[in-house]
Amino acid sequence: MLQNDLHGIATDHGCIGFGVATAEPFAGLNEEMTERKNSGLAANLAFTYRDPSIASDVRRTYPWAQRLVALAFPYQPEAGRSVSDAGSLRIARFADGDRYAGLRKALAAVAARLSEAGHRAEILSDDSRLVDRAVAVRAGIAWSGKSAMALVPGAGPWVLLGSVATDAILDGGDAMQRSCGTCIECIPACPTGAILDDGIIDVPRCLAHVLQAPGVIPVDLREAVGDRLYGCDDCLTSCPPGRRILETAVPVPGPRIIDILGSTDRELLDRYGHFYLPGRRPRILRRNALVAAGNDRSAHLEPIVIGYAGHPDWLLRAHAAWAIGQFRTGVGLRALEQAIAEERDGRVRVEIHRAKERWTTGAGLR
Ligand code: B12
Ligand code: SF4
Ligand code: SF4
């Protein structure tokens, strides 16, 4: 039977979750997303938020859709555990390599089997036209965690999601009835307090967003950025249903801050071109690494950070000024004084003045 074949294909391709959801619109989701957008909770996210009326109703894209075959693909323990070491950076595990590759293959194999049986089949995963977690929960393969993560028994939050829209009338299960119960571990684990309520994330404060958004990183979030280069896993690592699988993952050292700051754009794109980088420009990686350098404060980083005070890109000069202020050394103070004498960009001047204030308001030299 087709349904069993599809399940078998998904399992053979390493999926931990397989389920079928109806293709009805997700009641109330368009309004919910529009409300989050209007209240600022969704920051200025594009993706699904570009048009929530589409993302909440797959038939706006594929009017023939009857079912969504939902898959959950685990990426632990293969992705390893991040380690925090002086002078180095952490990358969220879903982004350290192409973790979607296995899921894409599984979705393609499911779609191929549906086509072979004479049905229409279109793959949707991390696509602006569908909210993947809503599909996974409706298909009965995940429950919705307080962290907003879709949690799958056996892997917790360490799964990537996708589905195949089809006109085949497959049997659907019920939405998963599990819940987080009394657990609240992800809420205090979030470094910026971005988890507001059951499944509601204050996106402007979520570091996964902050580190991929263009422009200036808000000053009040820079210390919370810590040693992150891209993404944030704290609400995943703190989540008990994912702990057992994470314990079997081996520690993976991250890149050195000095290497990121010392690499050319070409080298950064070769290594990290699979990240979401606005405009495909690696400047946000340098920006993030400057903030991490200011948090790290290892002495060997100060000269390269000071070098960035003269960078042609205003965004990098601005974050370099903040980072220099974090080192609080005499060399740094002199670098800021020289920078303010030459700086014409108002956005950078504000940062330099703020960094210099550290000395005049009593923070003093280290
Ligand atoms: C935009 C986006 C982000 C944004 C905003 C995330 C957010 N929580 O709102 C940012 C950049 C911050 C982000 C971060 C991350 N993301 Co992201 N992201 C997306 C994206 C592209 C769209 C999500 C979206 O539109 N959500 C809208 C909100 C409203 O829905 P939701 O919370 O996702 O789903 C629930 C609601 O829809 C609810 N629902 C359904 N109907 C209704 C009706 C009503 C009335 C209500 C109230 C609710 C409701 O049910 C769903 C399940 O609980 C999806 C891919 C996709 N196309 O779906 C990936 C996705 C959600 N991200 C993913 C990942 C891995 C991450 C990170 C872990 C990455 C990292 N390590 O840095 C973090 C986790 C942060 C977090 N705690 O959520 C995975 C999540 C896998 C999983 N197991 O849940 C997805 C599904 C990508 C994928 N295909 O695998 N992400
Ligand atoms: S990804 Fe990080 S910042 Fe965002 S909600 Fe989870 S713990 Fe908080
Ligand atoms: S940490 Fe606890 S409350 Fe948060 S998502 Fe995981 S199980 Fe749910």
Side-chain angles (χ1 to χ4, degrees), residues 143 145-147 151 180 183-186 235 238-241:
W143 82 91
K146 288 175 188 160
S147 63
L151 308 183
C180 297
C183 178
I184 52 158
E185 294 206 25
C186 51
C235 54
S238 60
C239 184

Side-chain angles (χ1 to χ4, degrees), residues 2-83:
L2 180 59
Q3 183 130 359
N4 290 341
D5 283 2
L6 297 175
H7 196 160
I9 289 168
T11 310
D12 291 349
H13 279 79
C15 291
I16 198 169
F18 168 90
V20 174
T22 62
E24 307 294 320
F26 289 93
L29 183 55
N30 175 14
E31 293 74 9
E32 173 71 18
M33 290 175 75
T34 305
E35 167 61 27
R36 289 190 198 179
K37 214 170 144 172
N38 293 341
S39 65
L41 279 178
N44 48 0
L45 280 179
F47 314 111
T48 40
Y49 281 90
R50 191 171 291 135
D51 190 343
S53 71
I54 289 180
S56 57
D57 179 4
V58 73
R59 289 184 179 149
R60 293 283 306 273
T61 306
Y62 301 120
W64 42 260
Q66 293 294 335
R67 298 288 187 268
L68 291 160
V69 181
L71 304 185
F73 188 87
Y75 59 100
Q76 289 293 16
E78 292 75 16
R81 254 182 305 129
S82 295
V83 282

Side-chain angles (χ1 to χ4, degrees), residues 81-91 93 225-228 234 251-256 296:
R81 254 182 305 129
S82 295
V83 282
S84 285
D85 270 339
S88 70
L89 292 152
R90 279 184 295 158
I91 296 173
R93 304 321 302 159
V225 165
D227 61 353
R228 293 175 185 81
D234 288 17
V252 183
R256 311 285 301 160
D296 185 284

Side-chain angles (χ1 to χ4, degrees), residues 147 186 189-192 194-195 201 205-208 232-236:
S147 63
C186 51
C190 174
T192 60
I195 304 173
I201 302 295
R205 295 189 70 76
C206 174
L207 295 177
C232 169
D233 275 341
D234 288 17
C235 54
L236 285 73

